[in-house]
Amino acid sequence: GAVVSQHPSRVICKSGTSVKIECRSLDFQATTMFWYRQFPKQSLMLMATSNEGSKATYEQGVEKDKFLINHASLTLSTLTVTSAHPEDSSFYICSGADRGVNTEAFFGQGTRLTVV
Amino acid sequence: GIQVEQSPPDLILQEGANSTLRCNFSDSVNNLQWFHQNPWGQLINLFYIPSGTKQNGRLSATTVATERYSLLYISSSQTTDSGVYFCAYDYKLSFGAGTTVTVRA
């Protein structure tokens, strides 16, 4: 299967600072990328969908000014958590899909964010 | 929106046992996939199966789109099969609640 690389795998930051998470598709062009959030022992909740070169579409209840998503190329999307608070601590996972060829989506390794 | 029910929510197996996991949908879905989330959080693609049956080693999956359900079969389970199994569907990949599988040696 295709490979999606997500970095960092773990990050600890102080309240009020911003954190950037990168998601790269290594061997395919991810025309669409998705960002999810997962709390302990819960399922994945979609935060936003981004298409290369377009603004991201956020799910209801997700603050677009707090969770900045950039999908500037067919192989890279970034999620920036701005002015992080302890309640933003969670597991963030990205996925990519080449919707023009194959509708199967592939996931990154996830980033565990802890805000102290 | 579409409701998805994954069953059972938890499953404890003895090594070597077989099991069946199920996803029921309230309406027709597209792009159905099965994933295994390992204890480190990595989601591993198992099957992309909008319809029909596929097999990959000890795992197989069947989707009956007209009946709005999908099944994941695990045969001869191993301890490495432990983790959470999710079905996900549609363009934006909405996830079911998951089945937590524990395989004991």
Side-chain angles (χ1 to χ4, degrees):
Chain A
V3 179
V4 173
S5 178
Q6 185 175 342
H7 291 281
S9 57
R10 290 177 179 271
V11 59
I12 300 172
C13 71
K14 292 185 177 181
S15 288
T17 62
S18 295
V19 174
K20 180 183 283 190
I21 302 169
E22 288 192 351
C23 182
R24 293 181 183 272
S25 57
L26 299 186
D27 53 3
F28 71 103
Q29 294 184 330
T31 55
T32 303
M33 284 191 168
F34 305 92
W35 287 92
Y36 298 83
R37 184 174 182 175
Q38 186 180 31
F39 290 107
K41 298 193 183 301
Q42 293 189 20
S43 187
L44 281 76
M45 296 299 295
L46 180 67
M47 299 174 65
T49 302
S50 70
N51 294 297
E52 184 262 339
S54 302
K55 289 185 177 180
T57 302
Y58 290 81
E59 295 299 302
Q60 193 171 6
V62 178
E63 300 175 59
K64 62 180 181 180
D65 294 330
K66 180 168 188 61
F67 299 100
L68 301 180
I69 292 171
N70 185 281
H71 191 169
S73 77
L74 286 171
T75 59
L76 174 64
S77 178
T78 59
L79 167 67
T80 302
V81 182
T82 63
S83 188
H85 289 111
E87 56 265 32
D88 298 326
S89 299
S90 189
F91 191 59
Y92 294 87
I93 314 174
C94 69
S95 74
D98 183 353
R99 293 302 188 194
V101 175
N102 186 335
T103 52
E104 187 173 3
F106 298 90
F107 282 78
Q109 302 92 321
T111 297
R112 190 161 303 281
L113 170 63
T114 303
V115 184
V116 297
Chain B
I2 296 175
Q3 305 299 312
V4 56
E5 179 184 359
Q6 266 194 260
S7 60
D10 298 280
L11 190 58
I12 298 175
L13 301 170
Q14 200 65 35
E15 200 168 29
N18 303 327
S19 62
T20 302
L21 284 58
R22 185 178 181 111
C23 278
N24 287 331
F25 303 94
S26 59
D27 204 345
S28 299
V29 298
N30 298 307
N31 295 336
L32 196 143
Q33 292 187 236
W34 282 95
F35 297 92
H36 174 213
Q37 188 170 37
N38 65 22
W40 296 271
Q42 173 76 59
L43 277 162
I44 299 163
N45 289 47
L46 297 179
F47 295 100
Y48 171 73
I49 187 163
S51 64
T53 297
K54 291 185 178 180
Q55 181 159 5
N56 184 3
R58 295 181 297 102
L59 302 180
S60 63
T62 296
T63 296
V64 183
T66 53
E67 299 285 326
R68 303 195 299 268
Y69 72 87
S70 184
L71 304 173
L72 178 69
Y73 306 95
I74 305 174
S75 65
S76 303
S77 58
Q78 300 177 359
T79 55
T80 52
D81 295 331
S82 295
V84 184
Y85 290 80
F86 292 104
C87 62
Y89 59 94
D90 279 350
Y91 173 77
K92 294 198 286 187
L93 273 188
S94 298
F95 278 73
T99 293
T100 301
V101 174
T102 304
V103 182
R104 293 179 172 165

mmCIF file of all heavy atoms in Angstrom, chain B residues 21 49 53 74 80:
data_model
loop_
_atom_site.group_PDB
_atom_site.id
_atom_site.type_symbol
_atom_site.label_atom_id
_atom_site.label_comp_id
_atom_site.label_asym_id
_atom_site.label_seq_id
_atom_site.Cartn_x
_atom_site.Cartn_y
_atom_site.Cartn_z
ATOM 1 N N LEU B 21 -16.191 -9.917 12.823
ATOM 2 C CA LEU B 21 -16.561 -8.567 13.215
ATOM 3 C C LEU B 21 -17.529 -8.025 12.166
ATOM 4 O O LEU B 21 -17.426 -8.367 10.980
ATOM 5 C CB LEU B 21 -15.331 -7.666 13.277
ATOM 6 C CG LEU B 21 -14.389 -7.797 14.474
ATOM 7 C CD1 LEU B 21 -13.826 -9.206 14.616
ATOM 8 C CD2 LEU B 21 -13.257 -6.778 14.378
ATOM 9 N N ILE B 49 -13.033 -2.378 0.421
ATOM 10 C CA ILE B 49 -13.995 -3.375 -0.035
ATOM 11 C C ILE B 49 -15.404 -2.796 -0.130
ATOM 12 O O ILE B 49 -16.253 -3.066 0.720
ATOM 13 C CB ILE B 49 -13.937 -4.642 0.850
ATOM 14 C CG1 ILE B 49 -14.806 -5.745 0.279
ATOM 15 C CG2 ILE B 49 -14.215 -4.316 2.317
ATOM 16 C CD1 ILE B 49 -14.506 -7.124 0.822
ATOM 17 N N THR B 53 -16.038 -9.902 -1.860
ATOM 18 C CA THR B 53 -15.214 -10.583 -0.863
ATOM 19 C C THR B 53 -13.756 -10.512 -1.258
ATOM 20 O O THR B 53 -13.424 -10.660 -2.436
ATOM 21 C CB THR B 53 -15.643 -12.054 -0.728
ATOM 22 O OG1 THR B 53 -16.985 -12.112 -0.256
ATOM 23 C CG2 THR B 53 -14.740 -12.797 0.242
ATOM 24 N N ILE B 74 -11.428 -13.009 11.048
ATOM 25 C CA ILE B 74 -10.062 -13.280 11.488
ATOM 26 C C ILE B 74 -9.984 -14.773 11.794
ATOM 27 O O ILE B 74 -10.734 -15.274 12.637
ATOM 28 C CB ILE B 74 -9.695 -12.480 12.752
ATOM 29 C CG1 ILE B 74 -9.932 -10.981 12.530
ATOM 30 C CG2 ILE B 74 -8.239 -12.750 13.146
ATOM 31 C CD1 ILE B 74 -9.722 -10.150 13.792
ATOM 32 N N THR B 80 -0.632 -10.851 17.882
ATOM 33 C CA THR B 80 -0.375 -9.628 17.122
ATOM 34 C C THR B 80 -1.634 -9.069 16.463
ATOM 35 O O THR B 80 -1.614 -7.953 15.935
ATOM 36 C CB THR B 80 0.682 -9.869 16.042
ATOM 37 O OG1 THR B 80 0.283 -11.014 15.270
ATOM 38 C CG2 THR B 80 2.046 -10.116 16.661
#
